[in-house]
Amino acid sequence: MILGIGNDLCDIRRIEQTIDRFGDRFLMRVFTDVERTKSDRRRMRAASYAKRFAAKEACAKALGTGLRHGVFWRDMGVVNLPGGRPTMRLTGGAKVRLDSLVPAGMAADIHLTITDEYPLAEAMVVIMAIPAPSSAG
């Protein structure tokens, strides 16, 4: 069952200008440690940050809150599953909101796709409810 869908398009040049202007102040306010470590290793650093910025915007839309009602930038972080597929790890207010959307007996499954083609970065998030793993063993 789909609980929410979000999409966002971000101009890489805008992120590049923001990093140039505000530097670490911007990066520390918006991105998790994992995101900063990954993006700072990339040749196309601004594009990597722009994809993650778009993912956060898309996730906030999928949650139905935007960046309000206790949902903050660093509550949503792009992480990679063991096979490399990107997804979102939610904490704080974003996790509280996610938990409120998931019906009893179900678990959240967040699907994320991110891409860029200079000068644009795009992200789409689909939040689904799937049957929760059985605790019987």
Side-chain angles (χ1 to χ4, degrees), residues 42-59:
R42 300 283 191 230
R43 185 175 61 82
M44 302 297 290
R45 180 176 181 239
S48 180
Y49 276 117
K51 286 187 283 192
R52 284 154 179 75
F53 189 90
K56 292 168 183 287
E57 289 273 8
C59 186

Side-chain angles (χ1 to χ4, degrees), residues 33-86:
D33 293 342
V34 170
E35 291 172 315
R36 288 192 313 274
T37 298
K38 188 156 197 128
S39 293
D40 287 342
R41 291 192 315 239
R42 300 283 191 230
R43 185 175 61 82
M44 302 297 290
R45 180 176 181 239
S48 180
Y49 276 117
K51 286 187 283 192
R52 284 154 179 75
F53 189 90
K56 292 168 183 287
E57 289 273 8
C59 186
K61 292 171 184 175
L63 289 170
T65 60
L67 289 159
R68 57 186 193 282
H69 302 294
V71 176
F72 300 101
W73 291 110
R74 289 176 42 99
D75 290 347
M76 301 168 286
V78 176
V79 296
N80 294 90
L81 297 173
R85 182 176 74 118

